[in-house]
Amino acid sequence: LSLSVGKVLRDLEESIRETEMQSYPEVAANGSVDNETLLNKPKTRLSCIPVNRTTENQVLMLKSTELQTRLGEESSSNVTNRTQPSTCSITFFYASWCQFSAQAAPFYNAIPKHFPGINFYAVDALNNQNTYNQFGVIAL
């Protein structure tokens, strides 16, 4: 089970790092674009606007109403797809009885230090069933 936790978290970290990397093609002095560089450019999965904060980034434990309020404040009606820049947040729905949640928690709690521009939330799924149903969480 711990291997699956590690894989999930490595995949998450890889996705975040890929979105933070800005890879632009080399433009020659004559203005031409290197097509090989264009073909090798990683596909943008998300475009995040870094959050400016005055304190160290950390996971915020929220209740369902707090999560909905924060996500509502972060959303923008001008953003219609994932390629447009917006505030990015990651929410961990956990349960105290869930072995995966218990094993993943220390890793999830460490991630915000490495990605200060992204908001990280954690919600107790057992006490907030309507919220996790709303966001499509199908299992714990």
Side-chain angles (χ1 to χ4, degrees):
L1 184 62
S2 63
L3 287 176
S4 62
V5 170
K7 179 167 178 12
V8 168
L9 294 172
R10 280 191 301 278
D11 289 348
L12 170 64
E13 184 175 7
E14 180 182 332
S15 294
I16 293 171
R17 285 201 192 283
E18 284 179 8
T19 60
E20 287 186 341
M21 290 175 45
Q22 293 297 321
S23 169
Y24 297 100
E26 295 288 324
V27 178
N30 65 3
S32 66
V33 175
D34 178 1
N35 286 330
E36 185 176 337
T37 304
L38 269 178
L39 291 174
N40 293 328
K41 181 179 178 183
K43 183 178 178 184
T44 301
R45 295 182 189 190
L46 295 171
S47 183
C48 299
I49 298 171
V51 176
N52 292 322
R53 57 182 96 246
T54 57
T55 60
E56 184 178 55
N57 195 15
Q58 60 185 346
V59 175
L60 298 178
M61 306 286 288
L62 302 176
K63 294 182 180 179
S64 61
T65 53
E66 293 171 299
L67 176 66
Q68 291 174 345
T69 299
R70 285 182 181 267
L71 294 178
E73 291 169 352
E74 294 172 8
S75 69
S76 169
S77 59
N78 296 328
V79 176
T80 58
N81 63 50
R82 290 193 281 179
T83 60
Q84 294 176 295
S86 184
T87 302
C88 293
S89 301
I90 299 175
T91 303
F92 179 48
F93 292 92
Y94 70 93
S96 58
W97 51 264
C98 174
Q99 187 178 7
F100 177 87
S101 296
Q103 290 180 340
F107 298 99
Y108 185 74
N109 289 332
I111 292 174
K113 293 176 184 155
H114 302 285
F115 301 97
I118 298 176
N119 293 323
F120 289 86
Y121 305 125
V123 176
D124 182 352
L126 189 60
N127 294 324
N128 298 285
Q129 291 181 357
N130 291 338
T131 301
Y132 79 87
N133 287 335
Q134 175 184 350
F135 289 103
V137 177
I138 56 173
L140 286 177

